[in-house]
């Protein structure tokens, strides 16, 4: 088994929920649940629709209120029916007890058997008579406190005997009168129904005190309550359905302007500013539609102004760059003549000529960069493709910069993997390699620089990895911007216009390739150029040799202590390079400004003052009051002092 790399150890695992719980990764487990729930279609629908959420919320609130209402009504109806039924049962039981006592008092018997027969007859009659009031049974039990020696057999129903509890018998024995208790009965289908047991005492001839218990069923009342509940539940379901449809229709109608505004905002984000929303009424949604209309008109005006300004700027750079070539050629010829005769000049003049010669070379390189960027802006740059061994090309660039690396004390190591032959424009790829290598040597701070060239099935890659100060992600996002420098005060040995990486990125795009950077503070940076092996071929894989797992692991460690410097994805593993196959429909995004000039709406005069001020100030560059103009003489003195320092350092190195 292969050892696990640090990057793999730090990378988030794609384990399931229970594995994360077993590993006691509570935060990751909760995020896993959240991710799984958010992927459900029903939740995605609710999260993407305000109307659906509003309808669900209102329906839920209505359902809760209806449930509370049903419970309240059912409870009130049940209590009312039970109380009414209880009064009827108690009145009937009282009449039965009085009738039974009167019957026993009028009965003339001279033996216990006669009392037994009379008791059977009278209890049976009372059971039948109470059936009209819901009676389902009657029982005669001996009073435990009776001390007479004579007694008759108790008249009981074995199935109903368990309904008479000790508490009920104690109340009848000690307090007298009529007492009742709620019980649960079973009907012929063995279904439980509510019932009431009513007990009282009677005096029998010869045998003394006995207890009479009459059982009443509340099955009819229970059926009534059940019917009421069914009606309420059915009505609630129908009402909820109607309310849901009504709320959905109303919310959909009310939020129609908001949906139009969202659709218009998506069009604006895609570059289509030719939108005009209908404005009806004066409410908040109408104000939103009007604001979007004003914003689109304002953006069209601003884009038109910026395009004109950009065109003027590009034309100015192009014209100035081309116009400067002729005088620069003359100056260069004169400088070369003076530089060739510098040995015959005085030391001061010879030093000035040397400075002049170097600055003219620098000026020539700057002018070449400006001309190249103007060609790119004018979309006239073309490729001259040929089968080229990228390893040999990079090796030549490395040899041409060997003296610079030795001067900076930087060791450059070249590694090559696989087949690196591809269809390339040698001039442009050489320029990319030159820019990346020079920048790496300059920022390496004396540490080694690793140059890797690798090939895979559909692509070839070239990477320059240094171990210098590195960059935060905020800086790395702008390294390919024109004229951008992360540290303007940093002393540079080679100089430059700030266009090198921008031109390199454009050259990579012309090849349908990709130029990326991965960096970590104090750990260095890795610039990677990925090019298709054949012109027009889609890149589907990436050489493993340029993945920089050590740098990815370093970024993970740095992000724990400095989260503001590193942007790590929570769902994807952090990789040094992501492959994107972009298919942009240019025709769907472009608008014909010249044909829309008559249809453009004039910007409203009542726009906020801040917006108007910003629009007026963005059209022309502003010079900071801290800027100052340095005289030509002062510039020459500064350059001469810098060159003197370089010459002295070279002399010390030679000694």
């Amino acid at each position: 088994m292969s050892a696990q790399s640090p990057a793999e150890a730090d990378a988030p695992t794609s384990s399931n929920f229970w594995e994360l719980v077993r590993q006691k990764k509570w935060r990751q487990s909760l995020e896993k649940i959240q991710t799984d729930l958010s992927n459900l279609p029903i939740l995605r629908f609710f999260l993407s629709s305000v109307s659906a959420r509003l309808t669900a919320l209102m329906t839920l609130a209505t359902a809760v209120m209806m449930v509370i209402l049903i419970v309240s009504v059912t409870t009130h109806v049940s209590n009312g029916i039970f109380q009414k039924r209880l009064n009827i049962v108690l009145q009937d039981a009282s009449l039965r007890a009085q009738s039974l006592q009167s019957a026993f008092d009028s009965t003339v018997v001279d033996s216990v058997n006669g009392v037994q027969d009379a008791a059977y007859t009278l209890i049976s009659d009372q059971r039948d008579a109470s059936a009209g009031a819901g009676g389902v049974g009657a029982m005669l039990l001996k009073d435990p406190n009776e001390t007479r020696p004579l007694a008759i057999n108790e008249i009981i129903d074995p199935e109903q005997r368990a309904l008479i509890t000790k508490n009920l018998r104690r109340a009848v024995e000690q307090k007298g009168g009529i007492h009742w208790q709620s019980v649960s009965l079973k009907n012929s289908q063995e279904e439980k129904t509510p019932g009431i047991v009513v007990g009282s005492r009677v005096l029998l001839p010869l045998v003394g005190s006995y207890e009479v218990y009459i059982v009443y069923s509340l099955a009819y009342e229970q059926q009534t309550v059940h019917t009421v509940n069914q009606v309420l539940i059915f009505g609630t379901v129908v009402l909820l359905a109607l309310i849901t449809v009504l709320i959905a229709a109303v919310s959909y109608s009310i939020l129609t302007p908001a949906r139009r505004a969202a659709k218009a905002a998506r069009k604006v984000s895609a570059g289509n500013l030719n939108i005009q929303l209908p404005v009806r009424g004066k409410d908040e949604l109408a104000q939103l539609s009007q604001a979007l209309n004003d914003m689109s008109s304002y953006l069209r005006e601003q884009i038109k102004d910026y395009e004109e300004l950009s065109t003027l700027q590009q034309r100015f750079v192009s014209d100035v760059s081309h116009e400067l070539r002729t005088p620069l050629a003359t100056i260069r010829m004169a400088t070369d003549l003076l530089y060739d005769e510098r040995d015959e000049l005085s030391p001061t003049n010879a030093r000035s000529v040397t400075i002049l010669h170097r600055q003219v070379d620098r000026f020539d390189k700057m002018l070449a960069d400006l001309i190249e960027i103007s060609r790119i802006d004018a979309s006239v740059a073309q490729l001259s493709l040929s089968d080229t061994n990228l390893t040999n090309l990079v090796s030549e660039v490395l040899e041409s910069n060997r003296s610079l690396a030795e001067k900076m004390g930087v060791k450059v190591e070249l590694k090559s993997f696989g087949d690196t032959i591809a269809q390339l424009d040698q001039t442009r790829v050489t320029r990319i390699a030159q820019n990346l290598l020079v920048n790496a040597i300059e920022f390496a701070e004396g540490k080694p620089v690793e140059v890797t060239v690798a090939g895979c099935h559909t692509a070839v890659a070239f990477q320059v990895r240094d171990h210098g100060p590195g960059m935060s992600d905020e800086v790395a996002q702008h390294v390919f911007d024109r004229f951008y420098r992360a540290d303007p005060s940093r002393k540079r040995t080679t100089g430059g216009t700030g266009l090198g990486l921008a031109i390199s990125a454009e050259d990579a795009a012309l090849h349908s390739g990709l130029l990326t950077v991965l960096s970590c503070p104090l750990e260095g940076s890795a610039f990677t150029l990925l090019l298709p092996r054949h012109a027009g071929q889609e890149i589907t894989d990436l050489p493993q040799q340029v993945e920089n797992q050590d740098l990815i692991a370093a970024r993970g460690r740095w992000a724990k202590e400095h989260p503001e410097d590193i942007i790590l994805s929570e769902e994807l593993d952090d990789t040094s390079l992501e492959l994107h196959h972009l298919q942009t429909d240019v025709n769907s995004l472009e608008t014909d400004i010249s044909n829309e000039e008559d249809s453009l709406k004039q910007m409203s005069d009542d726009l906020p003052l801040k917006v108007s001020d910003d629009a007026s100030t963005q059209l022309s560059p502003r010079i900071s009051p801290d800027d100052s103009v340095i005289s030509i003489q002062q510039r020459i003195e500064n350059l001469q002092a810098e060159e003197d320092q370089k010459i002295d350092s070279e002399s010390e190195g030679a000694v």
Side-chain angles (χ1 to χ4, degrees), residues 397-398 401 412 432-441 449 451 464:
V397 173
L398 192 151
N401 291 277
V412 182
I432 297 174
Q434 174 75 15
N435 287 330
L436 297 183
L437 185 59
V438 170
N439 285 341
I441 293 174
V449 172
V451 179
V464 179

Side-chain angles (χ1 to χ4, degrees), residues 363-383:
F363 189 19
D364 192 13
K365 294 179 181 178
M366 292 180 182
L367 188 58
D369 288 344
L370 291 175
I371 292 175
E372 182 62 28
I373 206 70
S374 66
R375 289 176 180 172
I376 293 174
D377 291 337
S379 300
V380 296
Q382 296 181 353
L383 295 177

Side-chain angles (χ1 to χ4, degrees), residues 417-482:
F417 302 91
D419 181 13
T420 59
I421 297 178
Q423 292 181 349
L424 309 174
D425 186 326
Q426 296 185 16
T427 302
R428 296 183 182 277
V429 176
T430 300
R431 180 165 53 201
I432 297 174
Q434 174 75 15
N435 287 330
L436 297 183
L437 185 59
V438 170
N439 285 341
I441 293 174
E442 191 170 82
F443 287 93
E445 296 183 345
K447 299 177 182 178
V449 172
E450 302 167 3
V451 179
T452 304
V453 184
C456 57
H457 182 64
T458 60
V460 293
F462 161 61
Q463 184 180 92
V464 179
R465 168 78 160 93
D466 67 74
H467 299 271
M471 298 176 288
S472 64
D473 284 0
E474 181 180 1
V475 175
Q477 291 174 357
H478 299 284
V479 293
F480 298 112
D481 295 347
R482 298 180 183 182

